[in-house]
Amino acid sequence: MSERIQALHALRAFEVASRYGSFTRAAQELALTQGAVSHHIKTLEALFGCDLFERRGPKLRLTEHGSLLAQELKVGFKIIENACALLRQDRHGLRLKAPSTLTVRWLLRALDGFKKLDNSCPVQLSSVWMDIDAVDFYSEPYDCAILLGNGRFPADVESLKLFDEWLIPVCHPDYLAEPAPSLAVLHDCEFLHPSPDRRDWRRWLARVDALDVGIDRGQVFDTLDQGISAAQQGLGISVVDLVLASADLAAGSLATPFPQAVATGDGYYMVWLKSSPKARQMHRLRDYLLTQVPPLSRKDISYLYG
């Protein structure tokens, strides 16, 4: 039994070191010395008769055998963690990760409605800024997440699309003098970019055959929410997700000077591990969120698929 426990400690040390590519960082997380972590790895390599890491300079790289072991251990330790979490944490609540703009523009209201409808499944929301939406259920403290992506998730992840991303330009109702401007006015407008890589304007312009419009000018922001706020102040034209801006459009604080909404092929997905012991709670939240998505039925907008 003692040997089995020591082997488990060694496997845990290897799994953490494989995530960080560093014995030093693994030692910090496990409250061990670097030498102890190194000893655990050598013990496993002797046990399996193969190298698990390529030791070239300060950065460690997994060997083929090491990658295979790390992948399986990642799943195995998560199963153990989930089993323990059921005893030391709320067995019914969910820890949810979501992008900051989605949270502000839609999710907070939806979760408030869910709480009033079903208080037996509390949701602890973490609103996080993410340049590229992602979650690692094996190293982050979440049961589920809502992410913007193309729907291609790892095999061990369950996913459900909540709504598609439709991009459309918006501005203050008084920003443009013409009631139905042509695309040519964009050459003289101040662009508001919701992300540093300016990808949203690039996608929209490509779909409406207006790539001759330069997008190198204008204010660059970190989030869609910042772009919406700047547009509401009359500082220029931003491009937004139609669902996330639906409340502002309905209230009249934003206008759509150009009627074309472009599908990017991405969407907002709710995701969780297939092995999660809270799958039933996940399904309840998922089913409710689907009822809270605003319908895209505006007659003044044409929907263009990419």
Side-chain angles (χ1 to χ4, degrees):
M1 179 64 70
S2 176
E3 290 180 354
R4 291 179 183 177
I5 293 175
Q6 290 302 318
L8 185 61
H9 289 324
L11 289 170
R12 183 56 171 166
F14 166 75
E15 191 275 327
V16 177
S18 71
R19 271 194 276 123
Y20 291 123
S22 167
F23 289 173
T24 300
R25 293 193 63 184
Q28 292 171 348
E29 178 168 320
L30 297 171
L32 298 173
T33 65
Q34 182 179 347
V37 173
S38 179
H39 176 73
H40 280 315
I41 304 305
K42 290 179 181 178
T43 298
L44 292 177
E45 290 178 331
L47 177 64
F48 297 134
C50 62
D51 290 336
L52 299 175
F53 287 102
E54 293 180 3
R55 296 165 175 82
R56 296 180 181 177
K59 185 70 174 179
L60 297 172
R61 290 187 178 181
L62 289 168
T63 63
E64 183 178 348
H65 292 99
S67 296
L68 179 61
L69 180 61
Q71 180 179 350
E72 297 302 320
L73 288 179
K74 191 176 184 181
V75 176
F77 279 115
K78 186 60 180 180
I79 293 173
I80 295 173
E81 181 183 331
N82 285 340
C84 295
L86 287 177
L87 297 180
R88 68 173 184 263
Q89 296 177 353
D90 183 355
R91 302 185 186 188
H92 306 289
L94 295 175
R95 299 163 298 172
L96 171 64
K97 178 182 182 181
S100 55
T101 295
L102 179 81
T103 296
V104 173
R105 294 282 160 184
W106 176 71
L107 188 56
L108 279 177
R109 290 193 301 272
L111 290 180
D112 183 61
F114 181 67
K115 179 181 178 180
K116 293 174 181 176
L117 180 70
D118 186 354
N119 60 12
S120 66
C121 182
V123 179
Q124 178 185 330
L125 173 63
S126 294
S127 177
V128 182
W129 179 85
M130 294 176 277
D131 182 31
I132 302 297
D133 289 10
V135 64
D136 185 346
F137 290 118
Y138 299 100
S139 61
E140 297 182 73
Y142 305 114
D143 299 305
C144 53
I146 298 178
L147 306 174
L148 176 64
N150 56 19
R152 294 191 289 270
F153 297 102
D156 58 345
V157 171
E158 189 80 30
S159 67
L160 175 91
K161 185 192 292 183
L162 297 174
F163 57 89
D164 289 307
E165 181 185 47
W166 289 89
L167 296 179
I168 194 166
V170 296
C171 62
H172 187 277
D174 299 329
Y175 182 74
L176 294 176
E178 302 175 49
S182 69
L183 292 175
V185 304
L186 288 174
H187 290 282
D188 301 316
C189 288
E190 180 73 8
F191 279 117
L192 303 173
H193 299 280
S195 61
D197 61 8
R198 308 168 192 252
R199 62 178 176 268
D200 289 342
W201 267 116
R202 187 176 297 108
R203 283 174 162 180
W204 189 85
L205 290 169
R207 186 63 186 86
V208 299
D209 296 324
L211 285 175
D212 60 316
V213 177
I215 60 172
D216 293 334
R217 66 188 189 279
Q219 181 65 49
V220 175
F221 299 101
D222 290 323
T223 67
L224 189 77
D225 189 54
Q226 292 171 342
I228 291 175
S229 178
Q232 288 174 324
Q233 297 175 58
L235 301 179
I237 296 183
S238 186
V239 62
V240 303
D241 180 282
L242 188 55
V243 169
L244 299 186
S246 60
D248 303 282
L249 291 169
S253 62
L254 286 177
T256 53
F258 309 103
Q260 301 94 334
V262 170
T264 66
D266 290 337
Y268 283 93
Y269 291 80
M270 182 173 168
V271 297
W272 63 91
L273 283 177
K274 292 180 178 178
S275 61
S276 173
K278 298 182 179 181
R280 187 171 65 175
Q281 294 95 309
M282 233 81 74
H283 292 160
R284 283 156 57 191
L285 176 60
R286 172 203 66 184
D287 292 344
Y288 180 79
L289 291 179
L290 283 173
T291 69
Q292 301 303 299
V293 179
L296 298 179
S297 58
R298 292 181 48 150
K299 295 180 180 179
D300 58 331
I301 292 177
S302 57
Y303 296 91
L304 307 179
Y305 290 91

